[in-house]
Amino acid sequence: AITAAALTGVNQTIFIQPGTYTENLTLVAGINLCAFVGDGTITPGSSNVIIFGKLTCTYTGTVDISGIELRTNSDFGVESSGSNICYLNLYNCNINILNNTFLSSTNANFSFKFLNCTGNIATTGITLYSITTGNTPKFINCNFTNVGNSLTASTSASAHIYFYNCSITFPLTATSGILEAHFSVFEPQTGATCINLGAGGGVHLITHCSLISATNSVIVLTTVSLIIANCFIQNQIGAAAISGTGTLTYSGLTLFGHGIGSFMY
């Protein structure tokens, strides 16, 4: 279907009938994938349209995917490499991360957006994304669970990663670039720090968020600047709620639990 649509030479949308499609797809710019209204659900385990395999993004342009459950099949669910200017937008999709990290990007020109998506990490040692070069990923109105209790962090480097109105239940690491979050909840599994921020890049920004860690510091800074405002921070043990080195600018914080006395590191 993708090949036939691409041969028309104009943008097309492929509407997919209910079923499980076990295949790896090379996406084509301007050829969008969509479930019919009523067929596409975002309830984990009950979606009617399922792609069970890897989506390769090496095109130049944009692809939209809507209402479909995407499952990993012992490989990445989405992979982008090379240098093409490439955009991927997922709308109302369910991300079922069964056995491998879902999204991998080594393409500095790959940008993606998750809007109104749900997802789940089903086992340990895997996570949502691994980004090794600059991108502009966005997560808006998304809810990700972690039934597999994975402590593996989703990592980004040289990217400006953005969260708005999301629930994240696995750790995040931004080794460089910028992490920006608003009106979101970060609560990883016991034994993990919510967010690790590495050196390099610009100023990180977190506002109107809840950050909860059962056994670790909530945020760890490594020679980096963070502005955090109007957030709820809960830390259950004696470690500092925010630890590390760098510049911390804060206001309007509500602190609960232990480690508050060493909050200013």
Side-chain angles (χ1 to χ4, degrees):
I2 291 174
T3 300
L7 288 174
T8 66
V10 296
N11 292 352
Q12 300 280 357
T13 296
I14 299 170
F15 289 92
I16 305 176
Q17 296 282 358
T20 298
Y21 301 85
T22 303
E23 53 187 325
N24 298 321
L25 303 177
T26 298
L27 301 181
V28 175
I31 308 303
N32 305 315
L33 308 179
C34 185
F36 285 98
V37 175
D39 289 333
T41 68
I42 56 172
T43 301
S46 64
S47 295
N48 294 319
V49 179
I50 300 166
I51 297 176
F52 190 25
K54 180 168 72 173
L55 309 179
T56 298
C57 303
T58 53
Y59 50 84
T60 297
T62 302
V63 170
D64 295 340
I65 299 177
S66 178
I68 295 172
E69 179 172 317
L70 303 174
R71 294 182 181 177
T72 61
N73 188 12
S74 300
D75 200 345
F76 301 120
V78 171
E79 185 173 25
S80 183
S81 58
S83 59
N84 288 3
I85 300 175
C86 180
Y87 299 89
L88 176 67
N89 301 314
L90 303 183
Y91 302 100
N92 302 310
C93 289
N94 183 56
I95 313 302
N96 201 338
I97 309 168
L98 297 175
N99 44 34
N100 203 80
T101 291
F102 178 72
L103 186 147
S104 172
S105 173
T106 58
N107 177 4
N109 297 314
F110 176 57
S111 296
F112 61 88
K113 178 169 64 178
F114 287 50
L115 178 64
N116 299 330
C117 292
T118 61
N120 177 57
I121 299 173
T123 189
T124 60
I126 61 176
T127 191
L128 178 61
Y129 61 80
S130 174
I131 303 169
T132 60
T133 188
N135 306 126
T136 55
K138 295 182 179 179
F139 297 90
I140 302 171
N141 301 332
C142 293
N143 180 19
F144 292 96
T145 57
N146 187 0
V147 173
N149 297 323
S150 180
L151 300 180
T152 301
S154 284
T155 59
S156 59
S158 303
H160 184 161
I161 191 160
Y162 178 88
F163 297 90
Y164 183 89
N165 193 34
C166 292
S167 176
I168 305 297
T169 55
F170 47 86
L172 305 176
T173 295
T175 57
S176 57
I178 297 173
L179 184 144
E180 182 177 351
H182 307 280
F183 299 99
S184 296
V185 177
F186 300 92
E187 187 175 4
Q189 301 299 310
T190 299
T193 295
C194 291
I195 300 174
N196 282 277
L197 300 175
V203 179
H204 303 276
L205 177 63
I206 301 174
T207 70
H208 301 94
C209 292
S210 293
L211 302 104
I212 301 169
S213 177
T215 56
N216 294 62
S217 292
V218 172
I219 300 174
V220 175
L221 310 182
T222 304
T223 318
V224 71
S225 296
L226 169 65
I227 297 174
I228 182 168
N230 303 314
C231 291
F232 172 83
I233 297 176
Q234 180 174 339
N235 188 33
Q236 296 287 359
I237 64 167
I242 301 177
S243 63
T245 58
T247 301
L248 176 66
T249 303
Y250 65 94
S251 65
L253 301 185
T254 299
L255 304 175
F256 178 83
H258 300 284
I260 295 173
S262 55
F263 173 76
M264 290 299 296
Y265 51 87

